[in-house]
Amino acid sequence: MKSLDKQFKEVYEANYTKVNRLCLGYTNGDAMLSKDLTQDVFIKVWQHLDSFRNESNISSWIYRIAVNTCLLELRKKKPVRLSNHLNHIEASAENQNNDKELEINKLYHCIGRLKPENKSIILLELEGVPQKEIAEITGLSHETIRVRIYRIKKELTKCIRK
């Protein structure tokens, strides 16, 4: 049997990048805040790893912790004024002159406008989490997830084209 330290290290290395990208989606691309949230997630994982019951995939358990951690943080924060956020995107685009970076910022902006549950669903989908696993994480049916993802993608496409 693996030691808890070794097990945590493996879990951390396998999931850090995915959790950080998920947190980036919740923070509208704020790299510093997403790193802080990612660290908070893994502190919680470390604290509760010995109580993980293997009833689901460990990555599903970690995603659930990440979603809950990000949602709690967003509830504590004051909402970012849209005009300030758009200025940040424009300044970033001018400084970097990178079309791909601008598109990513637009996507984060549009994801940031979604309802929290829809934001969770699409961020997990973008992360490549299987839809059945997303259903397990969110507590919704697989069919509901499929329909929501379709509708969310249409909403994001419309937002990005504006």
Side-chain angles (χ1 to χ4, degrees), residues 1-157:
M1 188 166 167
K2 295 180 197 171
S3 74
L4 196 58
D5 289 346
K6 187 172 183 175
Q7 184 183 6
F8 175 77
K9 183 177 180 185
E10 289 174 6
V11 166
Y12 178 85
E13 289 173 353
N15 293 281
Y16 178 85
T17 303
K18 297 175 201 172
V19 169
N20 191 51
R21 279 194 305 257
L22 183 70
C23 292
L24 268 170
Y26 276 100
T27 62
N28 294 323
D30 183 335
M32 293 300 291
L33 181 56
S34 69
K35 284 182 182 182
D36 288 346
L37 290 171
T38 302
Q39 183 177 2
D40 291 346
V41 168
F42 282 103
I43 288 170
K44 291 174 185 173
V45 168
W46 169 253
Q47 291 171 336
H48 302 285
L49 189 58
D50 59 341
S51 66
F52 176 67
R53 297 183 304 252
N54 288 316
E55 292 173 359
S56 65
N57 188 328
I58 195 158
S59 63
S60 297
W61 180 68
I62 292 169
Y63 279 128
R64 183 168 288 183
I65 292 171
V67 167
N68 290 335
T69 300
C70 291
L71 288 174
L72 281 171
E73 179 65 24
L74 291 177
R75 285 184 194 120
K76 290 191 288 187
K77 294 271 183 205
K78 293 179 183 174
V80 176
R81 287 187 38 212
L82 188 56
S83 61
N84 289 344
H85 186 66
L86 290 175
N87 290 339
H88 170 70
I89 291 173
E90 290 168 7
S92 174
E94 289 173 8
N95 291 342
Q96 296 176 5
N97 280 335
N98 185 339
D99 290 340
K100 187 170 183 160
E101 188 71 27
L102 181 59
E103 289 299 314
I104 291 170
N105 284 334
K106 281 184 190 177
L107 178 62
Y108 279 132
H109 167 73
C110 292
I111 290 171
R113 296 175 63 190
L114 296 172
K115 294 175 186 171
E117 190 172 63
N118 287 346
K119 186 185 286 191
S120 298
I121 291 167
I122 199 64
L123 289 172
L124 291 168
E125 171 74 6
L126 290 171
E127 194 54 48
V129 176
Q131 291 180 359
K132 287 184 179 182
E133 200 171 322
I134 295 171
E136 182 183 314
I137 291 168
T138 61
L140 300 170
S141 73
H142 180 237
E143 186 59 34
T144 300
I145 294 298
R146 289 177 41 168
V147 170
R148 288 247 187 116
I149 288 172
Y150 173 78
R151 290 178 182 162
I152 293 166
K153 284 180 178 179
K154 279 179 64 175
E155 186 178 341
L156 289 174
T157 300

